[in-house]
């Protein structure tokens, strides 16, 4: 069970590598007024805007080879989201989040969010128990069948790990993940 993909990828259900971007008129105006060159060739909207405008006009255009497999995966994922229904998907994420936070608390772990209302519905961020090395715990969890991610916040990245429960994740995925977490903790003498 791999629940460690980025939030946007898992929330939509697309494999890593595709970035979605929405820019409003003010952002486009700010881009046009910029004084410095864009630091990345492929991230320079000057290259992409003519391609997108041509596509809108139903004319072929080319700048760089698109990640066709990821675009198709996005199409499939959006179809799944629409089939499930947005309200049902949001409720499933809320239910998985509540269940995951409850399971983590039942294991005696505290979490990064100071209050439940600050917690995301798409990810749980437990703190590592005292005297347990994060890299060892994550390795033991992986051995037990789940891949979890370490922390990202620079100030506390070595103090917590992330459990994603979004996108296509379901109760079975969560139960397997919590079982792997429990097994990993036991192997670390917790």
């Amino acid at each position: 069970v791999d629940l460690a993909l980025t939030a946007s990828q898992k929330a939509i259900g697309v494999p890593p590598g595709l970035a979605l971007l929405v820019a409003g008129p003010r952002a486009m105006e700010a881009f046009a007024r910029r004084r410095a060159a864009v630091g990345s060739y492929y991230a320079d909207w000057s290259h992409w805007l003519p391609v997108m405008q041509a596509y809108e006009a139903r004319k072929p255009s080319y700048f760089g080879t698109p990640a066709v497999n990821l675009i198709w995966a996005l199409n499939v994922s959006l179809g799944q989201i629409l089939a499930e229904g947005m309200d049902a998907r949001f409720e499933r994420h809320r239910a998985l989040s509540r269940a995951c936070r409850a399971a983590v608390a039942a294991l005696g772990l505290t979490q990064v969010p100071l209050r439940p209302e600050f917690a995301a519905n798409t990810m749980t961020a437990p703190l590592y128990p005292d005297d347990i090395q994060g890299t060892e715990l994550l390795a033991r969890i992986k051995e037990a069948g789940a891949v979890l991610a370490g922390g990202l916040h620079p100030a506390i990245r070595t103090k917590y790990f992330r459990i994603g429960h979004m996108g296509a994740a379901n109760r079975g995925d969560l139960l397997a993940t919590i079982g792997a977490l429990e097994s990993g903790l036991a192997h670390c003498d917790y």
Side-chain angles (χ1 to χ4, degrees), residues 81-143:
I81 290 170
L82 292 174
E84 181 179 8
M86 295 298 288
D87 290 339
R89 191 171 188 90
F90 292 150
E91 181 49 40
R92 181 169 48 81
H93 289 163
R94 281 190 292 272
L96 288 173
S97 179
R98 286 190 303 266
C100 190
R101 289 193 312 264
V104 164
L107 290 171
L109 302 179
T110 57
Q111 297 170 49
V112 172
L114 300 176
R115 297 198 319 242
E117 61 268 23
F118 297 154
N121 286 328
T122 53
M123 181 188 71
T124 299
L127 295 167
Y128 293 114
D130 292 337
D131 301 325
I132 290 185
Q133 294 293 339
T135 54
E136 181 186 357
L137 177 59
L138 292 179
R140 294 298 189 161
I141 293 168
K142 184 176 182 180
E143 288 172 8

Side-chain angles (χ1 to χ4, degrees), residues 2-5 124 126 128 138 147-152 160-164:
D2 183 354
L3 298 178
L5 298 176
T124 299
Y128 293 114
L138 292 179
V147 177
L148 300 182
L152 289 176
Y160 77 103
F161 59 101
R162 297 173 290 138
I163 304 171

Side-chain angles (χ1 to χ4, degrees), residues 41-103:
Y41 182 77
Y42 286 101
D44 187 343
W45 292 357
S46 300
H47 300 298
W48 292 106
L49 290 173
V51 174
M52 290 185 278
Q53 291 162 347
Y55 284 167
E56 287 176 348
R58 303 283 191 231
K59 295 178 182 176
S61 186
Y62 181 79
F63 162 62
T65 303
V68 176
N69 57 330
L70 294 178
I71 293 169
W72 186 250
L74 174 63
N75 182 54
V76 170
S77 295
L78 292 174
Q80 292 170 340
I81 290 170
L82 292 174
E84 181 179 8
M86 295 298 288
D87 290 339
R89 191 171 188 90
F90 292 150
E91 181 49 40
R92 181 169 48 81
H93 289 163
R94 281 190 292 272
L96 288 173
S97 179
R98 286 190 303 266
C100 190
R101 289 193 312 264

